Each structure stands twice: as C-alpha cells, then as structure tokens.
Amino acid sequence: MIHIAETLTVSSIENFLTPNEITTLITTVDNVLGDTGIRRFDAERTTTLHSIPGHTSDQAMAIYEPAGRLEIHPPPELATNVLDEAVQRAMPALRRALPALTSCREWMYVEYAPGQHITPHIDGIAPHPADPVRQLAGISVVLEHAEAGGEFFVETTSHPALWSDQKGCDGYDPAMAFTHDGADHSADWFRTMPRTRWNVRPAPGTAVLYGAQVTHGTEPVHAGRERKFISWLISEA
C-alpha cells in the first residue's frame, strides 16, 4: 500500500554514484553528443518528456521549458547499466525513504545551458487510480553543476487548491489525496498560488528524491552547463 507521505518525500542518497561512475557517464554522454549533438538534442529536438492534456507537444515545451533544454532519451546502454547498478546498490537506502518502491523507470539525460530552466510543476502519481503502476518519486543525479545558476528546487505550500478528500482511494492512504491535474504553468491557479521555494545544490553523484506530489523545477542557468540524469521511482501492483 502506498502512503501519501511517500509521495511527499524529499530525501537524498549521498554517494549514489562513485567518482569513477560519474566519469564514465560524462564520457559516455559526450561521445553521443559529439560535435553536433548539443544542437540536435536541444534546439532541433521535436519531442518532449512533458505533456499537458489539450496541448500540443510544442505548447507543452513552451510552458515547461521556455528556453529549451537538452534531452537524451533513451540514454546510451552503458549509461543505463551504470545507473541501474547504482539503483540496486542503493535499494536499502531508497526503500527507507520509499517503502513501497519496487523499481526504477528508464533514465533520461538532461542538460541546461545559459538561460534554460524548467518551470515549477508536479509529476503526479499515475494517469488513473486503476493504473497498476504508481509513481512514487522522481530521482535526479547531477554529474556536473553549472558555474552559476541551475539549482534544483522544490516548493511547499499550505494552499488548499492542491488537495481534495479522496476517502478510500484504492492503494492509497485514506486521507487527503493530491489533485494534480493542471499542476503546472499552464494553469492560472497554479502559477499564482503562493509557495515557498527551497533550492538545493547537491554534490555530484548524490541522488535527490522528490515525491510525485512535490512541486519542483530547475532555476535558470547563468553560466556553464547543468548536467544530470533523471528517472522515476515506482511501485508496481
């Protein structure tokens, strides 16, 4: 059974990646990018991880990543193997934060150049309560920080707009359940809702966990490149 507290967690796994693994991942990504990859996976990219009901992919990209960002999905096989091994090694620590955790989704490499960022949003638990796969939390692992800016952030609020009574919702703690439809910058109510922002700059190789019901995003990069891998930790029925 998934408890609401798991989808509201914010936690970290220090030394999730070893220094050698960080070097391997950077080298592997750089080999894929080559001379033209930064343009091909950023300015020329036509697909996006993000989607908004009633919006096109281009509209979703403009709302979530107004200045773009680089995405490699799926990542190179070597990178996937390194990251999956790190997940298995860290599973005891991960399950202390997320007891219902069963596995990790496919990884994605993302990179932010100067001016690029991700607007605040919430991922949500599942497309539908009947879905057997429940999304518990996102996981982000920085390889290299930007010289300035690019910090990951979460936001908290006591505003009631995010919440509704969902008594007895199958698979959930029968308490307050999150209403995540439209919890992004496509909605006026979400953009204007008062929130408190918490920025973090973890050491490279540290995994940051942020619950599926936690508002999060990335600050604009001012100089350099913010380079990381992200994925989602799930519970399967």
Side-chain angles (χ1 to χ4, degrees), residues 29 32-34 36-47 65 68-74 109 111:
V29 169
V32 171
L33 293 177
T36 62
I38 289 182
R39 183 176 67 253
R40 180 158 54 94
F41 290 104
D42 183 0
E44 296 176 1
R45 179 169 54 89
T46 58
T47 60
E65 40 181 294
R69 75 170 178 180
L70 187 151
E71 293 181 2
I72 300 179
H73 182 250
Y109 174 77
E111 181 177 309

Side-chain angles (χ1 to χ4, degrees), residues 86-132:
V87 168
Q88 292 307 310
R89 187 173 61 227
M91 193 60 78
L94 290 167
R95 285 194 171 129
R96 281 195 291 272
L98 303 166
L101 172 64
T102 59
S103 61
C104 183
R105 291 189 189 273
E106 189 172 54
W107 290 86
M108 172 185 284
Y109 174 77
V110 297
E111 181 177 309
Y112 300 90
Q116 295 181 334
H117 64 286
I118 288 290
T119 56
H121 63 281
I122 297 176
D123 294 333
I125 296 171
H128 189 276
D131 194 318

Side-chain angles (χ1 to χ4, degrees), residues 134-200:
R134 305 290 186 170
Q135 195 154 274
L136 298 176
I139 179 170
S140 171
V141 188
V142 171
L143 303 181
E144 287 183 331
H145 281 299
E147 296 169 29
E151 295 87 356
F152 176 78
F153 64 79
V154 298
E155 294 178 337
T156 54
T157 183
S158 61
H159 198 283
L162 283 177
W163 305 92
S164 64
D165 284 318
Q166 296 285 336
K167 301 294 184 180
C169 185
D170 183 37
Y172 291 94
D173 194 350
M176 297 297 286
F178 176 66
T179 302
H180 62 79
D181 292 339
D184 55 44
H185 269 214
S186 67
D188 289 340
W189 68 267
F190 184 80
R191 284 197 308 274
T192 58
M193 183 176 61
R195 301 189 296 270
T196 298
R197 181 169 295 188
W198 308 72
N199 285 16
V200 64

